[in-house]
Amino acid sequence: MKHLLYILITLMCFSTQAQQTDFVDFKKANALLGINPNNSSIGGKVWYVLDVIKETDSIYIDAVNMDIKNVEIRYENSNTQDLDFYYDNKRLWLIHDFKKNKKYTVYFDYEVIPKKALYFVERESTHQIWTQGQGKYTSNWLPSIDDMNEKMIFNISLTFNEDYKVISNGLQTANIPLPGMVKWHFQMQKPMSSYLVALAIGKYDKKELTSKSGIPIELYYYPEDSSKVEPTYRYTKQMFDFLEEEIGVPYPWQNYKQVPVKDFLYSGMENTSLTIFSDDFMIDETAFIDKNYVNVNAHELAHQWFGDLVTETEGKHHWLQEGFATYYALLAERDIFGDDYYYWRLYEYALELLAQEQAGQNTPLMDPKASSATFYKKGAWLLHMLRDKVGDEAFKKAVKSYLQKYKFKNVKTNYFIQEIEDTSGISLTKFVDDWLLSDTLLYNEMETHLSTVSNAVNGYLKIDCEGYSSKCSEYLTSYLFDESKVKVIEQMPNKIQSKDFKNSIKVRQAIAQNVTKIPLELKAQYESLLNDKSYLTIEAALYHLWLNFPKERKKYLDKTKDIIGFNNKNIKTLWLVLALNTQGYRDQEKQFYYNELVDYTSSKNGFQLRQNTFSYLNSINAFNETALTNLINASKHHNWRFKSFARDLLKSLSENEKYKKIITNLQSKDK
């Protein structure tokens, strides 16, 4: 008992007085794993190679709620022997007389049913398994080090059903057939933080590209989505080649992979050499203009340098990852879509930041509790203005030096600022005060800058048609920037004329969304919006035509009955609701339509479709017991945004006398 008490006191002192990285340098992690999807467990053998920097009697490995056994140690060329350990369900403490400047290998077996970070989902009656370590910690499914300042080389081996693809970081070095199974091996060559270790398992095919510099690029997709590969991954190689040239530092890993998964927590995640992203971005040709993967694609790719190659030391430097990734993604899009697009997106970022400030939610960029808008958008603006201040040559030289000097290491903001000052010869003290340390948004400076460098934004800012003048009508048939025309339509929707329909898809979309009362003389032109290659345009046009011309509802429904829309079936769900509410329209099929709508709330579907359908059922007050059961299940979903939506809606329905008793009974059964 005294010995155990001594150990506990020692561990408490260690955890409060020192960083483990001062004592130990983990060099390599090897994992030989297996997954059981029937009970959502993962486990196997792991072994860590480490160098001792300072003598210590204990080291730890983060491991949450795991069953750990067979803990052993080997010192250089000695034999393996049992190792004393203490486990508190959060950390595995290895108790040993660790000598300075010596190399050790520690081994142990583990098994765990993770509560987060490793997710088991069902997709069309097949298993899909994927990880999300950032913010949730890899140590929930793999014993590792939560401290992002500890970087090591990870090599993962995993055995799984032969019908599935297993994808992990680095180079696939082998896949060994076993009876009904395959043993997959993946190897990294360079060190990385534990939160960037990733797995994705599912039914996938892939398309392979090669960058200009020779890096293999693997683009994964569901077999049934082969027609979506090109529009989804459009410009991938162009952006990869652009970023290598623009950043001036070669892509730092052996290969690059991208994998879509169902019900992902975010848009995408930049795991080292392996981006996992939401399959909601798997789109067809028509969807591309309204919603595409290009920005997320570029953002996660930029993270391979900013975040993966160099990693923040702590939260207050988070902008070094998100601000840089946002900025370089925007540069990559500028290379594709041009200057007007680039400056317009900067203007949109400025407006978002202004709204945040007006809501009293602004913080300094170096506040570890800053919002995503601050880290991402203000960080990108800082880099844009900094480049404008010091010039292209000094900026690019500093970025290159920064990445080369701190590659595979952790960084602080002053490291980057120092590089800029060294290459430019300009003191940045005031700039740092204004952009990094102050919570005041320099919006007027941002707007003035955009007015100076962008004719498109300048023209947009000058437009004011709220009072209406004949000049405003002329804008829509001019060569104005599309966003300026959209502004005109938003300000004077009741002044739209027939000639105004002769515009781009984006401008026509604005007409569909803003002209809600359709004059009879514009009926034919408005109906033509149903032919546009834009799901947002068709959705808005169908709804407004249905409202405005009740006698022709059947015609509009017949014309759009086979259009699905995005992955959330935005047009199909609207169509079903309108069909159900159109008197005399296919009455014998209405029960089928309602059943189809309810079926979309099932967990077999992606949460985007489920949320869309729940919203429609709420709007027409048409929940049945099945839909309510699915809503209760949704209130426990792993995606926190969807879960929050479901809980709020469930609370609202519980106050409705029509559903109150049913919900109470269902929740009682669920318990």
Side-chain angles (χ1 to χ4, degrees):
M1 179 63 73
K2 289 182 179 179
H3 178 63
L4 178 58
L5 182 60
Y6 170 75
I7 291 174
L8 290 173
I9 292 173
T10 301
L11 301 185
M12 290 173 63
C13 291
F14 184 96
S15 63
T16 57
Q17 294 179 4
Q19 293 291 323
Q20 179 161 268
T21 50
D22 295 334
F23 290 80
V24 181
D25 182 13
F26 282 80
K27 308 300 289 186
K28 184 179 292 187
N30 298 287
L32 187 59
L33 306 176
I35 288 180
N36 184 349
N38 295 322
N39 68 355
S40 302
S41 68
I42 184 171
K45 180 176 287 294
V46 294
W47 57 104
Y48 285 85
V49 179
L50 54 98
D51 289 343
V52 175
I53 302 169
K54 297 179 182 178
E55 185 172 314
T56 182
D57 59 7
S58 61
I59 63 172
Y60 68 80
I61 295 171
D62 294 297
V64 181
N65 295 323
M66 297 182 178
D67 178 18
I68 294 176
K69 54 189 176 182
N70 301 327
V71 183
E72 299 176 315
I73 188 169
R74 180 165 59 85
Y75 162 61
E76 294 187 344
N77 296 321
S78 66
N79 295 326
T80 301
Q81 62 185 44
D82 291 343
L83 177 63
D84 288 336
F85 69 94
Y86 169 74
Y87 181 53
D88 61 5
N89 286 326
K90 293 182 179 179
R91 285 177 171 175
L92 171 63
W93 289 91
L94 306 173
I95 315 302
H96 189 76
D97 185 16
F98 293 100
K99 300 294 186 183
K100 181 179 179 180
N101 297 329
K102 299 297 182 183
K103 185 182 295 290
Y104 297 86
T105 304
V106 294
Y107 307 81
F108 55 91
D109 300 327
Y110 84 98
E111 186 174 11
V112 64
I113 299 177
K115 293 184 178 179
K116 55 185 175 182
L118 180 70
Y119 298 92
F120 294 77
V121 300
E122 294 298 313
R123 184 185 179 277
E124 298 183 358
S125 301
T126 66
H127 298 299
Q128 193 181 86
I129 303 166
W130 47 264
T131 61
Q132 170 55 27
Q134 186 177 45
K136 297 297 180 184
Y137 304 117
T138 297
S139 60
N140 284 270
W141 67 270
L142 176 70
S144 51
I145 305 296
D146 289 341
D147 183 358
M148 67 183 71
N149 292 277
E150 182 66 83
K151 294 192 173 189
M152 68 191 91
I153 295 172
F154 283 89
N155 299 315
I156 302 290
S157 296
L158 190 140
T159 301
F160 200 74
N161 185 295
E162 64 183 352
D163 295 330
Y164 291 78
K165 287 279 197 321
V166 174
I167 308 151
S168 188
N169 312 84
L171 194 66
Q172 179 189 320
T173 56
N175 56 327
I176 303 170
L178 301 171
M181 310 288 279
V182 174
K183 187 176 183 180
W184 302 76
H185 293 273
F186 297 90
Q187 187 175 53
M188 289 295 298
Q189 295 176 343
K190 301 295 183 180
M192 65 184 196
S193 300
S194 296
Y195 78 90
L196 295 167
V197 180
L199 285 175
I201 302 172
K203 298 287 185 76
Y204 293 107
D205 287 339
K206 69 177 177 180
K207 179 179 180 178
E208 299 184 57
L209 307 173
T210 304
S211 73
K212 185 178 179 180
S213 60
I215 298 295
I217 303 171
E218 300 175 11
L219 309 176
Y220 286 85
Y221 60 94
Y222 305 136
E224 67 272 20
D225 282 349
S226 59
S227 64
K228 295 182 178 181
V229 174
E230 192 285 323
T232 298
Y233 290 115
R234 188 174 294 173
Y235 305 122
T236 293
K237 183 181 182 301
Q238 179 178 339
M239 292 189 295
F240 195 105
D241 294 339
F242 170 82
L243 286 175
E244 279 204 301
E245 182 176 350
E246 171 66 26
I247 294 170
V249 174
Y251 176 79
W253 316 104
Q254 309 105 298
N255 57 359
Y256 186 54
K257 293 168 273 193
Q258 299 191 69
V259 184
V261 300
K262 178 189 171 188
D263 289 351
F264 197 52
L265 277 68
Y266 309 104
S267 295
M269 177 62 199
E270 69 279 7
N271 309 295
T272 307
S273 78
L274 169 56
T275 285
I276 294 177
F277 68 96
S278 169
D279 62 9
D280 195 44
F281 285 104
M282 291 298 299
I283 56 159
D284 61 22
E285 181 69 34
T286 301
F288 185 87
I289 193 168
D290 298 327
K291 175 183 180 177
N292 59 62
Y293 179 56
V294 175
N295 181 263
V296 176
N297 188 344
H299 183 98
E300 307 308 336
L301 177 56
H303 267 310
Q304 299 297 318
W305 286 268
F306 306 102
D308 294 8
L309 179 60
V310 295
T311 309
E312 67 192 58
T313 58
E314 57 184 311
K316 69 179 181 179
H317 305 294
H318 193 50
W319 82 275
L320 290 174
Q321 298 183 182
E322 299 302 348
F324 270 84
T326 303
Y327 174 67
Y328 277 91
L330 201 52
L331 290 180
E333 288 187 290
R334 183 184 195 175
D335 183 60
I336 298 166
F337 301 122
D339 285 353
D340 286 350
Y341 176 91
Y342 173 79
Y343 289 117
W344 174 254
R345 290 305 302 272
L346 281 175
Y347 177 63
E348 288 183 319
Y349 293 172
L351 289 179
E352 183 177 347
L353 292 167
L354 179 62
Q356 178 179 262
E357 182 176 62
Q358 291 172 341
Q361 298 170 349
N362 51 310
T363 62
L365 189 51
M366 288 185 65
D367 184 336
K369 296 182 180 180
S371 68
S372 293
T374 299
F375 284 135
Y376 288 63
K377 313 299 175 55
K378 189 175 182 181
W381 257 102
L382 178 152
L383 293 169
H384 172 80
M385 296 299 281
L386 183 58
R387 186 170 188 162
D388 183 71
K389 181 178 182 67
V390 303
D392 279 358
E393 183 178 353
F395 182 86
K396 293 180 72 171
K397 183 179 179 181
V399 170
K400 183 176 181 179
S401 176
Y402 164 73
L403 289 173
Q404 289 176 331
K405 184 179 294 186
Y406 300 107
K407 61 183 178 181
F408 311 115
K409 297 178 182 178
N410 295 79
V411 289
K412 298 180 180 180
T413 297
N414 62 295
Y415 298 178
F416 173 66
I417 297 299
Q418 188 63 57
E419 294 297 325
I420 292 285
E421 289 186 330
D422 289 347
T423 57
S424 68
I426 297 174
S427 172
L428 297 176
T429 301
K430 186 177 186 307
F431 186 90
V432 167
D433 287 342
D434 290 344
W435 285 93
L436 283 163
L437 304 179
S438 173
D439 63 358
T440 300
L441 180 70
L442 301 178
Y443 179 80
N444 290 336
E445 181 179 332
M446 296 157 79
E447 187 178 284
T448 299
H449 169 78
L450 288 175
S451 298
T452 303
V453 299
S454 171
N455 290 331
V457 176
N458 186 46
Y460 176 91
L461 292 171
K462 289 182 176 180
I463 287 176
D464 181 7
C465 295
E466 291 183 340
Y468 181 67
S469 68
S470 57
K471 185 177 181 180
C472 287
S473 294
E474 298 173 5
Y475 287 152
L476 295 180
T477 53
S478 69
Y479 292 99
L480 274 180
F481 181 47
D482 274 355
E483 296 295 345
S484 295
K485 293 183 178 182
V486 170
K487 183 178 181 180
V488 171
I489 293 167
E490 290 173 344
Q491 292 185 346
M492 42 171 272
N494 298 326
K495 301 293 183 179
I496 301 302
Q497 302 175 41
S498 177
K499 60 184 175 63
D500 299 331
F501 284 81
K502 297 178 181 180
N503 259 296
S504 70
I505 287 181
K506 187 170 186 63
V507 177
R508 285 168 60 87
Q509 182 181 108
I511 293 174
Q513 293 174 331
N514 289 276
V515 179
T516 59
K517 294 183 178 180
I518 307 169
L520 190 59
E521 63 269 21
L522 295 181
K523 179 173 175 285
Q525 288 85 356
Y526 202 100
E527 287 176 339
S528 73
L529 296 171
L530 293 177
N531 299 318
D532 280 17
K533 298 296 183 181
S534 162
Y535 292 138
L536 289 178
T537 303
I538 295 171
E539 179 185 14
L542 172 60
Y543 179 67
H544 292 139
L545 286 165
W546 187 90
L547 284 178
N548 279 263
F549 305 108
K551 293 182 179 181
E552 299 196 53
R553 287 174 175 176
K554 296 178 183 180
K555 179 180 76 171
Y556 301 136
L557 290 172
D558 284 342
K559 182 176 179 60
T560 56
K561 64 183 175 64
D562 296 322
I563 304 175
I564 304 299
F566 301 120
N567 291 322
N568 70 349
K569 300 185 188 296
N570 65 312
I571 295 175
K572 184 63 175 179
T573 50
L574 171 63
W575 188 94
L576 289 170
V577 170
L578 296 181
L580 288 169
N581 286 275
T582 300
Q583 187 175 5
Y585 184 74
R586 303 189 180 191
D587 290 340
Q588 71 279 9
E589 298 182 51
K590 285 189 175 178
Q591 186 61 50
F592 174 80
Y593 294 155
Y594 177 72
N595 292 343
E596 182 177 357
L597 199 62
V598 169
D599 190 56
Y600 289 157
T601 68
S602 167
S603 61
K604 68 184 179 182
N605 300 302
F607 78 82
Q608 299 90 348
L609 170 57
R610 299 176 70 192
Q611 182 166 322
N612 187 36
T613 309
F614 283 134
S615 295
Y616 272 126
L617 289 173
N618 185 45
S619 69
I620 62 175
N621 197 25
F623 277 88
N624 64 7
E625 187 169 313
T626 299
L628 289 171
T629 299
N630 290 335
L631 181 62
I632 290 171
N633 291 335
S635 69
K636 296 172 286 188
H637 198 272
H638 64 261
N639 186 293
W640 66 269
R641 292 181 179 87
F642 180 50
K643 177 170 65 178
S644 178
F645 162 85
R647 288 180 174 179
D648 289 344
L649 179 55
L650 192 60
K651 181 179 178 181
S652 174
L653 293 176
S654 297
E655 297 170 356
N656 185 326
E657 289 300 323
K658 179 179 178 179
Y659 303 120
K660 186 175 183 179
K661 186 175 180 180
I662 301 173
I663 292 173
T664 300
N665 290 336
L666 289 173
Q667 289 177 325
S668 178
K669 291 178 182 179
D670 188 52
K671 292 178 180 178

